[in-house]
Amino acid sequence: MDMKVFTVLMIIFFFIYDRIQLWLFSQNLLKDHLLHLLIIINIYEVFLSFRGVDTRYGFTDHLHKALLDANISTFLDDKEIETGGELKLELESAIKTSRASVIVLSQNYASSSWCLDELVLILEQRMRSNQIVIPIFYHVEPTHIKKQESTFGVAIAEHRQKMEKMTNANKRSQFAQKIERWTNALTQVANLKGMYAKGRKEKEFVEEIVKDIYRRLHKMISDLPQLFGMGDSIEFITSWLKDDSSESYRGGILTILGMGGI
């Protein structure tokens, strides 16, 4: 599918989804069905990038649950890849289709080539599609990330040592280019406005992050220009969803066919 067509379809989808979601929320009818729909078709609102050994069973797990509880569809990979492994197509797709990415920058983040590949792709999406990017400085200093010092410096040095041991000149050159992309990405993300865990109670910090993401996601939709001719369609869908006589959710199937349906 042509990228421009895909982009337009995604804008239209989220435009309709956002307004239906807000209406359902106002009627206290918002359940898990819209969230499940997004997950089934592999479209996520938020992608979580994190180092599993640091935060998988703590902070990131709590943040993931809080986002889902707020009905924000969130991708969290439940499997680790061996250091040096290539980024899976599933992860690439999740990053490219997400509206926002949250990067949990922890002590050992840069030791994972997988995390660094995610970081590079996320920042590319920020430039190409204006994806929202929120760095979380989880007990690390931005200056250490920017200058590759402390654990970040150690990790990059280890990646370079691995490169120097390569006997294949072509692979060695490719890996050198990859390391350069990683260091550039670390410098870029350290310069972004982020959120700091140091000195914060985790529960309050997670709540603050979720509120900020929710606000920014809905602002992103509200900033879009009103699409010509959408008013009647939205009004029809709203009236179809609600039975005025019983104030209850109506079951059924809504079919949208062709450009006329859009």
Side-chain angles (χ1 to χ4, degrees):
M1 181 184 295
D2 184 84
M3 183 57 67
K4 290 183 178 179
V5 174
F6 177 79
T7 302
V8 171
L9 290 176
M10 288 300 96
I11 291 173
I12 293 172
F13 174 83
F14 283 118
F15 180 89
I16 296 175
Y17 162 75
D18 191 69
R19 275 144 182 77
I20 294 176
Q21 176 176 288
L22 288 174
W23 177 83
L24 288 171
F25 185 82
S26 69
Q27 300 297 318
N28 198 28
L29 294 172
L30 186 57
K31 304 287 185 182
D32 292 333
H33 54 285
L34 289 176
L35 180 63
H36 292 161
L37 172 63
L38 288 176
I39 292 173
I40 289 170
I41 62 178
N42 291 324
I43 295 176
Y44 299 91
E45 292 179 296
V46 173
F47 178 89
L48 285 177
S49 177
F50 64 99
R51 185 70 170 103
V53 69
D54 288 342
T55 65
R56 174 180 294 278
Y57 300 110
F59 175 77
T60 297
D61 181 60
H62 300 155
L63 177 58
H64 181 236
K65 183 178 184 303
L67 286 166
L68 294 181
D69 288 344
N71 287 289
I72 299 174
S73 57
T74 305
F75 182 94
L76 180 144
D77 187 57
D78 58 0
K79 296 179 181 178
E80 286 282 2
I81 194 170
E82 293 298 326
T83 300
E86 294 296 324
L87 197 63
K88 294 187 296 185
L89 291 177
E90 179 188 10
L91 292 183
E92 289 188 23
S93 176
I95 291 172
K96 290 179 179 179
T97 58
S98 293
R99 297 163 64 191
S101 286
V102 175
I103 308 167
V104 183
L105 296 157
S106 56
Q107 292 284 337
N108 296 295
Y109 186 89
S111 66
S112 166
S113 60
W114 196 12
C115 287
L116 292 171
D117 283 341
E118 288 178 2
L119 178 62
V120 170
L121 184 55
I122 287 169
L123 293 176
E124 287 177 357
Q125 291 305 114
R126 177 175 178 267
M127 297 301 294
R128 292 176 181 175
S129 60
N130 201 31
Q131 184 180 105
I132 298 169
V133 176
I134 304 174
I136 305 296
F137 299 105
Y138 190 76
H139 303 294
V140 295
E141 296 296 330
T143 185
H144 292 164
I145 300 171
K146 181 177 181 178
K147 298 179 180 179
Q148 285 92 65
E149 297 174 341
S150 187
T151 56
F152 288 84
V154 171
I156 294 299
E158 290 176 350
H159 291 308
R160 288 200 172 101
Q161 288 175 5
K162 178 181 177 181
M163 175 198 69
E164 291 169 358
K165 292 179 181 178
M166 292 180 173
T167 56
N168 185 297
N170 185 45
K171 289 185 177 180
R172 182 172 177 171
S173 175
Q174 291 178 353
F175 201 75
Q177 293 173 20
K178 178 174 280 194
I179 291 175
E180 184 177 2
R181 290 195 294 272
W182 290 344
T183 56
N184 289 337
L186 287 169
T187 300
Q188 288 179 44
V189 76
N191 286 328
L192 297 179
K193 182 179 179 181
M195 305 180 76
Y196 300 82
K198 188 175 181 179
R200 302 292 306 277
K201 292 182 179 179
E202 187 167 294
K203 184 175 184 297
E204 294 177 357
F205 186 48
V206 167
E207 290 175 354
E208 181 182 329
I209 295 170
V210 172
K211 287 178 182 177
D212 183 59
I213 292 172
Y214 190 88
R215 176 185 61 79
R216 293 173 71 173
L217 285 174
H218 286 80
K219 183 178 185 300
M220 185 179 179
I221 289 293
S222 64
D223 284 346
L224 291 173
Q226 293 295 314
L227 301 180
F228 180 78
M230 289 296 295
D232 291 342
S233 298
I234 294 172
E235 183 178 348
F236 168 75
I237 293 173
T238 300
S239 63
W240 179 81
L241 284 169
K242 182 178 178 182
D243 184 339
D244 291 330
S245 61
S246 64
E247 297 290 323
S248 62
Y249 175 77
R250 296 178 64 182
I253 299 175
L254 174 66
T255 304
I256 300 176
L257 298 175
M259 294 304 293
I262 295 176

